[in-house]
Amino acid sequence: MEPSPPPPPPQISHLLSQLGQFPVTPKPDPDGPITPIPAAAAPPPPPLMLALTPELCDALRQELAPSPDDDAYFASCLRQSQLYLDAVAARLRLPSSSSSAAPPPPLPPRQGGQEQPGAAGSSSSPASSTKKRARPAAEMVRVANLGPADHLHYRALVRRARLTFEALRGFYQREEPSAGARNRADLRASSFMLSAGRWLHREVRIVGHIPGVLVGDAFYYRAELCVVGLHLAPQAGIGYIPGSLTNEGHPVATSIVSSGGYLDDEDTGDVLVYTGSGGRQRNRLDHHADQTLERGNLALHNSYLYAVEVRVIRGHICGLTPNATGRKIYVYDGLYRVVSSTFGPGKSGHDVCKFKLVRLPGQDELGSKSWHTAKQLKDAMDARIRPPRYISLDLSKGAEHLRVPVCNKLDDDRSPLLFEYTVRPKFHVPPATGTGKRQRGCHCATGCGSKCRCQRKNAGGPVYGEDGTLVLGRPVVYECGASCGCPLTCVNRVTQRGMKHRLEVFRSHETGWGVRALDLIPPGAFVCEFSGDVVLMDDDSGKGLTEGRSIIDPKRFPKRWKEWGDASVDPRYNRGPQSAEFAGPGYLLDVSHKRNVACYISHSCTPNVFLQFVVHGNEDEQCPHLMVFAMETIPPMRELSIDYGIDG
DNA sequence: GATTTTTCAATGGA
DNA sequence: CTCCATTGAAAAAT
């Protein structure tokens, strides 16, 4: 048997000739090496249903000029698929009888010229009455040319959806500590959000980037990928638009999750060899049967033929997670194009579909690569090697638990080194009232439980979970303190143990100086404290001194803590008794001379960290610590941002 | 439309 | 700690 020719690159001529030809059951040479799918051996092509108008054909042909230049080539592929999808979208059937149960929410105000709504209902009433399973919509779109205003809008939507997901997940997890059966809080959270109409982009099938999701964004659960619309299949690796929704009747893949679950996978970052699905026992690595070119496999093959870009999400096992055993984390790595599709025996002997994907140029740095560079930086610093352009290996000069490197790759500014570093502000300690009085702290000898006096000052249950993450944002948090009987390892002293995740200060184009994470920071984790010189408000001598100084006013921070842990979308959730009114801090922080890392965190109105007031033991309530907590999963090399309450 | 099939999860116990 | 069986949910296919 003569060897089949390699598949021609999917250029336009090829595309045009292939549009109607889909080999459904290829029969490759059983004992040969992996053979390309023989297009010639395909069954008679189904009728070509995509309307190729003369204009469209001309437009496509003009793209023909094959260029050796990769960028031009990829750009041409992108334009091709754009043309194709536009043609398909234009001919798509309408969403079947307004399939969304809830009435479409009012469109948010939008500034940019931009045709795609796709906002999940903000005020949509939970469509609990309708039993009908709401199916995803049929309309297929690609969102392009997002203006800055649109980007902010979508980023805020994604942020809120993830906050809700995390709050619900935490709520469900705590709700039944050990109710016999398995507690899949993640599934319950996503399921509830679906029924409440809070999945994003439900009314549309998005090809390409999901607006509001950045390359490098990290997710702890597959269910979370569903909620934001990145990858709709809860378990399957290939997400696709079913053939019944494209007018040609062929499925098209939109996203894949690569978790290294197959023997034949290879991954060098920009190039990924992905194995199709099927032929495998669940949870098993090895194949026991041949795969077939159906469903997801067929969809991915069609993405190859049509040159449609595919979202790639990589699953990493991160042993470094604070909460114990080898969790997985899913990182959005951007858009890839399928450059080859083959079918043949894999390592286990059975036939497998293999797809080679190449990352499209012009995107933000590969998320997975950022993890790598962060690790290299950390290794170098552990070995006391100063990477180039690092002006300090430790801004705190040993004062912090972890070293805080400073990096400036832009100019010669070394100003962070000019400030004195203070790990925590020095508050005026109130004189012990009543000398005969006993210590005001708790007397818990080992661990502080629900009986602990300090814990009970926090109305509505424990402040921190087992893993040390903040359960719920509060007006103020009372931790145990110096006068308590418990050790520093007490569960109620999370912020006193210092930073747990490495940060670095860096010079940035946009914000002057900024702070970014070197470690993965889980949502709800303590990040660091704001520090500087304390200026009491009622201190007359201090008032005049604030002129011309860098002052942080703790009162100016918007109450972003309200967004954290708020699961009130679920009516069964009640946050318990509200703690008494908190007057708020009565001091200013002067960071003109002394400061710490936190002062370099930049501002955003879609922040990924927030401020939580924390009182340690019997400290003055007027002077709560300004503690920074993560609001979302922060991947390595991602800049931290907080809402300072300045208009932006 | 209802039911079955498919799926590179996640848990908690052994 | 690794293995594993069980439960689980949504979309596509039937």
Side-chain angles (χ1 to χ4, degrees):
Chain A
M1 185 180 289
E2 70 177 315
S4 320
Q11 289 160 357
I12 285 298
S13 54
H14 177 60
L15 264 182
L16 287 177
S17 66
Q18 288 286 325
L19 268 177
Q21 303 175 16
F22 288 90
V24 177
T25 52
K27 288 282 173 239
D29 187 356
D31 42 21
I34 291 184
T35 50
I37 294 168
L48 182 64
M49 293 175 69
L50 173 65
L52 283 173
T53 62
E55 297 80 36
L56 180 55
C57 286
D58 280 348
L60 288 171
R61 283 205 188 84
Q62 282 182 7
E63 299 293 338
L64 239 172
S67 160
D69 178 20
D70 268 359
D71 283 1
Y73 177 63
F74 284 130
S76 117
C77 286
L78 271 180
R79 281 196 297 275
Q80 289 167 28
S81 49
Q82 180 74 66
L83 285 168
Y84 159 71
L85 285 166
D86 287 350
V88 171
R91 310 188 72 242
L92 266 172
R93 50 198 73 169
L94 293 171
S96 54
S97 68
S98 70
S99 58
S100 50
L107 292 187
R110 41 191 38 262
Q111 288 88 337
Q114 158 61 36
E115 73 284 354
Q116 225 7 266
S122 47
S123 59
S124 70
S125 58
S128 50
S129 57
T130 46
K131 269 274 177 60
K132 190 160 54 176
R133 183 177 293 263
R135 307 198 65 86
E139 192 185 358
M140 196 155 94
V141 299
R142 172 188 278 111
V143 181
N145 302 322
L146 274 188
D150 295 307
H151 174 73
L152 274 183
H153 167 75
Y154 284 113
R155 188 68 186 163
L157 282 182
V158 168
R159 211 180 73 91
R160 203 177 49 194
R162 296 185 68 182
L163 281 169
T164 306
F165 176 86
E166 190 54 31
L168 284 171
R169 199 191 63 77
F171 168 50
Y172 295 141
Q173 193 159 61
R174 270 172 279 120
E175 192 185 40
E176 288 159 63
S178 56
R182 277 167 187 74
N183 190 6
R184 291 284 245 116
D186 55 325
L187 295 184
R188 286 216 275 155
S190 77
S191 192
F192 180 85
M193 287 180 75
L194 177 57
S195 66
R198 286 179 175 264
W199 281 27
L200 260 33
H201 312 305
R202 208 76 214 318
E203 56 295 295
V204 112
R205 303 272 183 154
I206 298 179
V207 176
H209 287 298
I210 301 297
V213 177
L214 301 175
V215 169
D217 279 352
F219 304 82
Y220 268 104
Y221 292 92
R222 283 287 295 262
E224 210 177 352
L225 300 178
C226 299
V227 169
V228 301
L230 244 196
H231 185 78
L232 257 40
Q235 287 191 199
I238 305 174
Y240 60 99
I241 300 170
S244 59
L245 296 183
T246 61
N247 260 25
E248 322 72 45
H250 303 304
V252 177
T254 54
S255 56
I256 62 170
V257 173
S258 174
S259 292
Y262 284 86
L263 283 176
D264 300 275
D265 285 357
E266 293 168 43
D267 193 352
T268 61
D270 285 339
V271 180
L272 169 67
V273 177
Y274 188 80
T275 312
S277 64
R280 208 184 57 156
Q281 296 275 6
R282 236 165 22 158
N283 277 337
R284 293 289 296 258
L285 202 62
D286 52 322
H287 290 82
H288 73 289
D290 290 345
Q291 292 185 345
T292 56
L293 197 57
E294 297 171 317
R295 297 190 185 85
N297 297 345
L298 179 59
L300 209 41
H301 180 69
N302 288 338
S303 292
Y304 157 67
L305 292 178
Y306 289 145
V308 172
E309 71 273 29
V310 176
R311 297 186 289 271
V312 170
I313 299 112
R314 281 193 177 79
H316 299 270
I317 293 176
C318 50
L320 274 175
T321 42
N323 35 350
T325 53
R327 271 200 148 343
K328 255 186 196 165
I329 187 119
Y330 299 95
V331 180
Y332 177 47
D333 276 338
L335 300 180
Y336 284 61
R337 200 174 60 82
V338 190
V339 295
S340 77
S341 164
T342 57
F343 186 83
K347 290 198 171 118
S348 56
H350 292 285
D351 285 342
V352 291
C353 305
K354 287 175 76 171
F355 305 95
K356 188 175 185 183
L357 293 102
V358 176
R359 192 161 192 260
L360 294 176
Q363 308 184 70
D364 283 349
E365 183 179 86
L366 188 63
S368 302
K369 192 182 267 178
S370 306
W371 292 55
H372 185 66
T373 56
K375 182 162 191 326
Q376 283 188 323
L377 281 174
K378 288 184 284 186
D379 288 347
M381 265 161 317
D382 287 344
R384 301 270 176 181
I385 300 167
R386 180 180 298 217
R389 308 292 286 172
Y390 274 72
I391 58 177
S392 168
L393 279 186
D394 184 9
L395 185 64
S396 79
K397 298 192 178 65
E400 291 278 9
H401 223 109
L402 302 168
R403 285 197 281 273
V404 182
V406 184
C407 162
N408 184 350
K409 297 190 172 168
L410 291 188
D411 51 36
D412 293 327
D413 190 342
R414 301 166 66 86
S415 53
L417 304 183
L418 303 178
F419 296 91
E420 191 178 329
Y421 197 95
T422 49
V423 176
R424 58 193 51 180
K426 288 195 179 66
F427 293 111
H428 170 70
V429 180
T433 49
T435 47
K437 237 179 185 176
R438 298 177 60 195
Q439 283 192 339
R440 299 218 19 142
C442 64
H443 307 296
C444 316
T446 49
C448 292
S450 54
K451 293 264 167 62
C452 169
R453 184 195 292 185
C454 306
Q455 292 256 38
R456 276 190 296 178
K457 283 169 83 177
N458 301 297
V463 175
Y464 303 110
E466 290 293 311
D467 52 2
T469 54
L470 188 72
V471 168
L472 176 67
R474 299 163 185 269
V476 63
V477 160
Y478 297 101
E479 290 193 357
C480 295
S483 53
C484 292
C486 56
L488 189 58
T489 53
C490 167
V491 289
N492 197 31
R493 303 177 91 160
V494 167
T495 65
Q496 296 166 50
R497 294 194 284 270
M499 291 167 37
K500 275 278 185 301
H501 305 95
R502 298 213 218 187
L503 307 174
E504 87 171 11
V505 176
F506 73 108
R507 187 87 164 126
S508 107
H509 278 295
E510 294 83 14
T511 54
W513 289 92
V515 179
R516 62 187 167 204
L518 293 182
D519 290 326
L520 169 69
I521 305 181
F526 171 64
V527 177
C528 64
E529 175 172 6
F530 265 97
S531 184
D533 283 315
V534 176
V535 181
L536 290 176
M537 300 279 252
D538 51 9
D539 185 353
D540 284 333
S541 60
K543 270 217 170 105
L545 291 178
T546 61
E547 294 286 325
R549 293 178 169 239
S550 305
I551 296 292
I552 291 175
D553 183 354
K555 279 201 165 82
R556 289 277 302 271
F557 287 93
K559 294 187 164 67
R560 289 284 188 170
W561 53 263
K562 284 187 176 175
E563 296 178 5
W564 181 249
D566 178 14
S568 54
V569 265
D570 189 336
R572 294 181 305 125
Y573 173 83
N574 67 333
R575 51 164 55 205
Q578 290 294 301
S579 45
E581 227 11 70
F582 177 60
Y587 71 97
L588 303 174
L589 213 53
D590 181 352
V591 295
S592 313
H593 302 296
K594 301 181 182 176
R595 53 170 67 177
N596 75 338
V597 227
C599 302
Y600 297 98
I601 298 176
S602 50
H603 168 81
S604 170
C605 49
T606 55
N608 54 14
V609 298
F610 68 100
L611 194 76
Q612 169 70 63
F613 298 138
V614 178
V615 170
H616 293 163
N618 61 343
E619 287 174 341
D620 188 355
E621 294 217 1
Q622 291 261 294
C623 297
H625 294 263
L626 311 181
M627 297 305 195
V628 176
F629 284 82
M631 270 192 131
E632 56 185 52
T633 310
I634 302 174
M637 304 308 281
R638 173 66 56 85
E639 178 166 9
L640 306 188
S641 60
I642 198 167
D643 190 345
Y644 284 101
I646 50 182
D647 288 333

